[in-house]
Amino acid sequence: MNIYIDTVSPEQIRTAERRFQLDGVTTNPSIVAETDRRYKNIVETAGEITDGPVFAQVLAESVDGMVREARGYQDWADDVVAKIPATRPGFEALGRLRADGVPAGATVVYTAEQAVLAAKNDATFVAPYVGRIDDSGADGIATTRRIQSIFDAQGFETEVLAASIRNTTQATALYESGIDGITMSPAVLDAHVDSSETAESVAGFAAAWGDQDPPLSE
Ligand code: E4P
């Protein structure tokens, strides 16, 4: 299973890389827009920090524009995967990128049907947006599990990359059901470590040790 971090901040990527074993970095236009940095610089820097892929989303709405951006992103880092929205032009762009051997997958996926067609188009990943699916009134976890189960049954090699994860409960539900990959914000990733009982137990060990010499003192 792959775990990605969804951020454009080099500091957040470095901190997470020091603490956890991460598999790459995802980005999207909304988090890019929160900074003054150019998208190229963001992807280049992320690529220098991570050993895994950097996912960069196309902004164009036309097929030609999506294909041009996805191809152009390939020059920004060694391992860039283009995120193509699961729209009609997006599927057409995916087909052209497949023919050209440009790594690309389907993002903003809301349904199993979109995911199946993306996998048939040799998308490297499909990203169901769990939180946003919930917002739409459907069940994000159930939809994502269904996609994973279809892909497993069909033997699709396309990675199911769960996105728009809002909390650790959603993440754990997906781990349990065998998700291929998941991306989450630094906050949700960091919250995996939270346990007041762990902190209390560590404090208890320190108190029990008392004023004895530290373990490595002479
Ligand atoms: C994934 O690559 C997306 O950037 C991200 O998960 C979107 O999440 P959001 O719904 O919080 O914007």
Side-chain angles (χ1 to χ4, degrees), residues 6 26-31 55 57 83 107 125 127-129 131-132 135 161-166 183-185:
D6 196 39
T26 60
T27 66
N28 72 50
S30 307
I31 49 180
F55 294 76
Q57 188 162 331
K83 297 170 66 178
T107 194
F125 73 91
Y129 271 36
R132 294 190 193 209
D135 293 344
L161 201 177
S164 189
I165 301 297
R166 304 265 163 87
T183 186
M184 63 195 102
S185 67

Side-chain angles (χ1 to χ4, degrees), residues 156-176:
F156 290 152
E157 291 181 4
T158 299
E159 175 180 21
V160 182
L161 201 177
S164 189
I165 301 297
R166 304 265 163 87
N167 54 58
T168 55
T169 305
Q170 290 176 330
T172 307
L174 293 167
Y175 302 146
E176 190 175 26

